[in-house]
């Protein structure tokens, strides 16, 4: 059940318009835990989503160095996911 709540929070966080209800802190924490576990298992898209949470400070304290680390992991395993890493380099944030 927690996994379903985490996935719903992710969808709300990244796909729904801002006018929609925002996820609760508990949902964001559940999403962070789920994404962290999946990223540790090598799921590149989970690393990107977790990196975006750290880049924007959504549900976690903003940490550009951690975001860079996560984006680098995802980019190394799937070049189609390098856009967020490129954006950090372009802005000079976290690098």
């Amino acid at each position: 059940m927690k996994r379903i709540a985490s996935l719903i929070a992710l969808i709300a966080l990244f796909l729904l318009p801002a006018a929609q209800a925002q996820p609760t802190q508990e949902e964001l924490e559940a999403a962070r835990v789920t994404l962290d576990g999946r990223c540790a298992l090598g799921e590149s898209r989970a690393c990107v989503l977790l990196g975006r949470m750290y880049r924007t400070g959504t549900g976690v304290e903003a940490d550009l160095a951690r975001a860079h680390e996560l984006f680098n992991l995802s980019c190394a395993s799937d070049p189609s996911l390098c856009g967020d890493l490129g954006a950090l380099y372009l802005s000079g944030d976290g690098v």
Side-chain angles (χ1 to χ4, degrees), residues 5-50:
S6 298
L7 293 175
I8 291 170
L10 289 174
I11 291 168
L13 180 63
F14 295 107
L15 299 178
L16 296 178
Q20 299 292 326
Q22 297 297 309
T24 66
Q25 189 60 38
E26 292 80 21
E27 291 170 330
L28 290 171
E29 177 60 17
R32 187 201 59 79
V33 169
T34 299
L35 290 172
D36 193 43
R38 290 182 177 203
C39 180
L41 293 173
E43 292 186 32
S44 300
R45 293 187 190 283
C47 296
V48 167
L49 293 173
L50 186 58

